[in-house]
Amino acid sequence: MYNTDTAINEKKGFIFNIQKYNVYDGPGIRTLVFFKGCPLRCEWCSNPEGMESKYKVMFKENSCLNCGACAAVCPVGIHSMLGGTHIINRDIDCVGCRRCEEACTEKAIAITGEYKTASELLEIIEEDRMFYETSGGGVTLGGGEVLMQADFATELLKVCKQRGINTAIETCGYANKESILKIAEYTDLFLFDLKHIDSNRHHKLTGVYNELIHENLIELLSRGHDVKIRMPMLKGINSSQAEIEGIIKFLMPFRDYKNFKGIDLLPYHKLGVNKYNQLGKDYPIEGDPSLSNEELDQIESWIKKYDFPVKVIKH
Ligand code: SF4
Ligand code: SF4
């Protein structure tokens, strides 16, 4: 039993979002908790505010009145006024005091990153217990990368399991084996990303090679943990027949395992573009790598040919 007395000495997790009533990331209706920090730098990331394990200032320039209220309260000088114009210095680390967010009457500033205990998160997760029970849902931890905060995430999932709440994590799989096996004890389903089969290409696209990811996936599947594969789909990046069949060949030894739960295709979408602007970053992808419905159907049929359960997830 988790009670408030234990909360005093509790560890805290660094999170950047909580999303309720999600129906895409695991079975049933789910609450998603997004963990901050990720070891990968995927060009197409739709949550760039979750990449770094630091507070981040998101700023809507169009909403700003250049009133200077934020500059007056920022203790580290991130906000300043220059010739009547509000300037943000992104070379200075934000300390997360949120004074600027509170001072801005126009809601032009949002600070991402918040420390929460497992008890605090559990309370939020528990609010929707009725939905989990009627839909077969639960909680999914995503990010960023959950396993960057493996101890805290494991603790959180452990208390969820103790309360009978279904658990899932969405992971890039780039973590040490020990931490992934530890969290697996309390994880009902892994939503495990495979982004590119070729390790050099994987490195170019994400900043890391894929051998460790593959080793962890094999370990989870071999030990009987439930795993669903997720493949982000981007035209001209990882969607050719050879690239898809490369992944299928890699997964073939596990196709008939009971704990292999199939493949989700996640079509690229541009939802992250505004966030890059608000973070003062250039959007890393040139052109539009979206796939048409026909192209997605084609990819689905290449996978089905090998008798793999596959679904295109359309948000
Ligand atoms: S949260 Fe605090 S430190 Fe960060 S930018 Fe705002 S006022 Fe400055
Ligand atoms: S407080 Fe808000 S409106 Fe005023 S300068 Fe800062 S961001 Fe702009």
Side-chain angles (χ1 to χ4, degrees):
M1 188 73 182
Y2 221 66
N3 61 44
T4 45
D5 297 339
T6 60
I8 297 162
N9 296 317
E10 263 187 85
K11 288 194 199 90
K12 290 186 177 183
F14 196 30
I15 64 157
F16 67 95
N17 196 8
I18 296 172
Q19 193 186 87
K20 293 186 158 220
Y21 315 118
N22 172 290
V23 291
Y24 301 110
D25 298 293
I29 297 172
R30 311 193 70 82
T31 297
L32 260 54
V33 182
F34 293 82
F35 281 56
K36 224 169 173 341
C38 184
L40 272 60
R41 290 290 178 268
C42 304
E43 292 179 0
W44 55 85
C45 181
S46 56
N47 291 325
E49 75 277 35
M51 277 185 182
E52 290 182 54
S53 306
K54 289 176 175 181
Y55 293 106
K56 283 284 158 193
V57 181
M58 299 187 80
F59 173 55
K60 291 182 192 157
E61 197 174 351
N62 290 341
S63 304
C64 178
L65 302 177
N66 295 304
C67 71
C70 52
V73 294
C74 181
V76 292
I78 290 172
H79 302 280
S80 61
M81 297 301 289
L82 189 67
T85 302
H86 173 204
I87 305 287
I88 295 186
N89 184 341
R90 294 192 180 272
D91 295 332
I92 302 172
D93 281 343
C94 169
V95 297
C97 69
R98 294 196 143 77
R99 288 185 204 163
C100 58
E101 199 178 54
E102 285 157 22
C104 180
T105 54
E106 304 310 303
K107 299 197 184 312
I109 300 169
I111 304 301
T112 60
E114 197 180 356
Y115 283 95
K116 287 215 178 281
T117 64
S119 299
E120 286 168 332
L121 289 170
L122 190 62
E123 205 176 312
I124 298 166
I125 293 163
E126 281 274 13
E127 287 168 1
D128 295 319
R129 173 177 282 279
M130 197 181 74
F131 293 104
Y132 313 147
E133 285 172 358
T134 51
S135 70
V139 63
T140 300
L141 310 187
E145 172 52 52
V146 175
L147 294 167
M148 290 271 285
Q149 301 179 62
D151 289 349
F152 177 77
T154 302
E155 185 180 309
L156 177 61
L157 292 191
K158 187 176 176 183
V159 290
C160 288
K161 289 298 299 168
Q162 283 166 353
R163 302 283 181 109
I165 298 170
N166 177 276
T167 58
I169 72 170
E170 204 263 314
T171 180
C172 69
Y174 192 82
N176 73 53
K177 189 169 93 180
E178 202 178 55
S179 64
I180 210 163
L181 291 181
K182 181 80 188 143
I183 205 167
E185 291 173 34
Y186 309 103
T187 304
D188 293 316
L189 176 66
F190 282 86
L191 301 168
F192 198 108
D193 289 359
L194 287 181
K195 300 169 198 286
H196 204 289
I197 192 65
D198 180 85
S199 195
N200 288 325
R201 188 91 176 104
H202 194 281
H203 182 266
K204 195 158 188 320
L205 293 167
T206 69
V208 305
Y209 295 100
N210 65 13
E211 285 80 3
L212 176 64
I213 294 169
H214 289 185
E215 282 166 25
N216 282 332
L217 176 60
I218 292 168
E219 196 72 33
L220 287 173
L221 284 165
S222 307
R223 287 173 182 254
H225 296 291
D226 284 2
V227 178
K228 182 175 264 195
I229 299 299
R230 310 194 108 189
M231 293 161 56
M233 283 287 103
L234 296 95
K235 192 173 181 164
I237 292 180
N238 62 2
S239 65
S240 72
Q241 188 164 2
E243 285 160 330
I244 301 294
E245 290 188 344
I247 288 187
I248 292 303
K249 198 172 154 203
F250 168 64
L251 293 174
M252 191 54 90
F254 309 102
R255 185 193 62 188
D256 299 325
Y257 282 27
K258 268 203 183 88
N259 56 313
F260 179 82
K261 299 294 177 189
I263 299 172
D264 282 349
L265 301 178
L266 308 178
Y268 164 82
H269 57 69
K270 277 209 150 186
L271 292 178
V273 177
N274 281 343
K275 294 185 187 174
Y276 283 84
N277 292 337
Q278 290 175 23
L279 289 164
K281 291 183 175 183
D282 290 331
Y283 192 63
I285 289 194
E286 284 174 18
D288 182 3
S290 305
L291 291 148
S292 66
N293 285 337
E294 292 71 33
E295 287 164 329
L296 287 164
D297 289 347
Q298 173 75 82
I299 293 169
E300 208 179 349
S301 74
W302 292 334
I303 298 173
K304 278 190 176 148
K305 199 171 75 187
Y306 294 94
D307 280 336
F308 275 83
V310 57
K311 197 162 89 186
V312 179
I313 305 293
K314 289 181 183 152
H315 282 222

